Amino acid sequence: MTSELLSARDLRVEFGLPGGRTARAVAGVNLDVAPGEIVALAGESGCGKTTLARTLLGLEKATGGTVSFGEIPLRHSTRAMKAYRRKVQLILQDPSGALNPRHTIYDAVAEGLRIHGITDNETERVADALARAGLRPAENFFLSYPHELSGGQRQRAVIAGALVLDPKIIIADEPVASLDASVRGEILALLLRLREEMNLGALVITHDLGLAWSIADRIAIMYLGRIVEQGPVEQVLTDPQHPYTQALVSVLPESPLPEPIVLAGELPDATSVPGGCRYNPRCQEVASGRAQPVIDSCRGRDLPILSPDSTEHAVACHLHALRQQQVRS
């Protein structure tokens, strides 16, 4: 396994709220991302994806577990974070919000170099980053302002701002959600090309399983602060095993499942996580009675945290574990 692996181990993030309540936004996550690998992190809004991403970036402090890069635990000192941010960069959902409207595109891309005190060959570095991001000829964009660019061009400028520091991993939070359908494909193709050209790894945060299918090598499905299913994207999306993943996959246009599964109720609040399997109050297997052999476990016994194995199709579900045991016996 590469020494430049970005890793989370038993990662936990809790927030204290008024009234003595505690929100468990991330409740034990193991996750790896290597250079040259694209991992999708998918789930409903509010399931903890963005908090996990912010913690991996060092923007939130973990209350338990570790984040490490190259086997070195993340430290929050100014010097350590500065070095870390050269290796792990963020791409935001809204390119308009990520670019200062008063800065030219040149200054926006050069900002990272200036923050890190990189003074040699600034113009060449900025031009190279813009060209890699697909803004060519790069010099034509130096004096442009964000409002003069299209949405896709602005997103390319944001990507260039990350690339200028020659990172090993990028964390992209819904990177194409604000773009038109025609432009989305171009940006996804760009990320795939950067993976090949730069051996660039990516953690792509998304609620869109179709996007995950088109770009990711692996996928992790997150529910209420935990990863409930993970593995190679083709295996997980063509043969989903966790009832939550099945519900998400069932509404895709080319779903392998016979009919859509309606998610019951709302995602619970992170301050009141259900006992046992956290999905059990909404689970179609519980509601239908198919989970009856393990219903006590579903409602009362927590599940182990999934390992970060990059090749294994792993599922955290009591009923799935029972079925696997029956197959083996």
Side-chain angles (χ1 to χ4, degrees):
M1 191 68 74
T2 175
S3 62
E4 294 176 329
L5 188 73
L6 173 63
S7 300
R9 293 292 181 271
D10 194 19
L11 195 65
R12 300 172 187 271
V13 184
E14 298 181 356
F15 301 108
L17 299 175
R21 296 178 302 149
T22 299
R24 296 174 175 84
V26 180
V29 164
N30 292 325
L31 188 66
D32 287 345
V33 185
E37 177 184 43
I38 298 178
V39 179
L41 181 66
E44 293 170 281
S45 296
C47 71
K49 304 187 303 294
T50 296
T51 300
L52 174 57
R54 288 177 57 82
T55 309
L56 291 172
L57 285 159
L59 300 174
E60 298 283 356
K61 285 191 175 182
T63 51
T66 60
V67 174
S68 61
F69 186 88
E71 301 179 357
I72 300 173
L74 176 61
R75 301 187 303 276
H76 286 264
S77 68
T78 301
R79 177 177 293 183
M81 286 305 305
K82 199 170 183 179
Y84 180 71
R85 291 276 171 72
R86 287 196 64 176
K87 300 170 184 173
V88 183
Q89 279 281 302
L90 171 66
I91 295 174
L92 291 169
Q93 172 180 347
D94 180 11
S96 299
L99 296 169
N100 188 325
R102 298 181 180 181
H103 287 179
T104 65
I105 296 304
Y106 180 95
D107 286 330
V109 176
E111 183 178 13
L113 297 173
R114 295 166 182 173
I115 289 172
H116 287 269
I118 302 170
T119 58
D120 62 304
N121 303 320
E122 180 182 280
T123 301
E124 181 180 332
R125 290 175 185 269
V126 171
D128 180 66
L130 286 168
R132 284 181 181 271
L135 294 176
R136 301 185 182 94
E139 292 77 7
N140 289 359
F141 295 90
F142 279 4
L143 299 181
S144 299
Y145 287 87
H147 73 272
E148 297 175 318
L149 304 186
S150 68
Q153 289 173 328
R154 286 194 294 270
Q155 188 64 295
R156 289 177 186 273
V158 170
I159 293 171
L163 297 180
V164 77
L165 291 171
D166 196 24
K168 300 301 180 184
I169 305 285
I170 58 171
I171 296 178
D173 192 354
E174 300 281 5
V176 296
S178 63
L179 302 177
D180 293 338
S182 60
V183 181
R184 284 163 54 99
E186 295 176 5
I187 298 300
L188 295 179
L190 170 62
L191 293 177
L192 289 169
R193 179 168 60 79
L194 293 172
R195 185 258 295 275
E196 297 300 321
E197 293 180 354
M198 300 176 61
N199 198 33
L200 184 68
L203 177 66
V204 178
I205 315 297
T206 184
H207 67 279
D208 183 349
L209 294 184
L211 181 153
W213 174 267
S214 65
I215 195 173
D217 303 299
R218 290 191 296 121
I219 187 169
I221 305 296
M222 195 168 188
Y223 183 79
L224 203 57
R226 284 274 182 94
I227 292 174
V228 298
E229 186 165 2
Q230 67 177 14
V233 67
E234 183 173 358
Q235 290 184 26
V236 173
L237 296 187
T238 60
D239 188 23
Q241 296 296 307
H242 194 283
Y244 179 60
T245 311
Q246 291 172 352
L248 297 179
V249 169
S250 73
V251 297
L252 293 176
E254 297 183 1
S255 170
L257 301 176
E259 58 186 23
I261 298 168
V262 178
L263 277 168
E266 300 293 330
L267 185 74
D269 192 281
T271 62
S272 55
V273 176
C277 170
R278 54 199 58 218
Y279 184 60
N280 87 81
R282 304 174 72 191
C283 179
Q284 61 271 20
E285 300 295 306
V286 170
S288 68
R290 290 188 293 268
Q292 192 59 42
V294 291
I295 195 68
D296 291 340
S297 294
C298 293
R299 292 175 174 165
R301 184 162 62 86
D302 202 1
L303 287 150
I305 298 170
L306 294 180
S307 77
D309 190 298
S310 61
T311 59
E312 179 187 7
H313 183 177
V315 184
C317 170
H318 292 296
L319 184 57
H320 173 76
L322 175 64
R323 289 171 175 167
Q324 291 297 102
Q325 183 179 15
Q326 289 172 340
V327 168
R328 288 192 295 269
S329 61

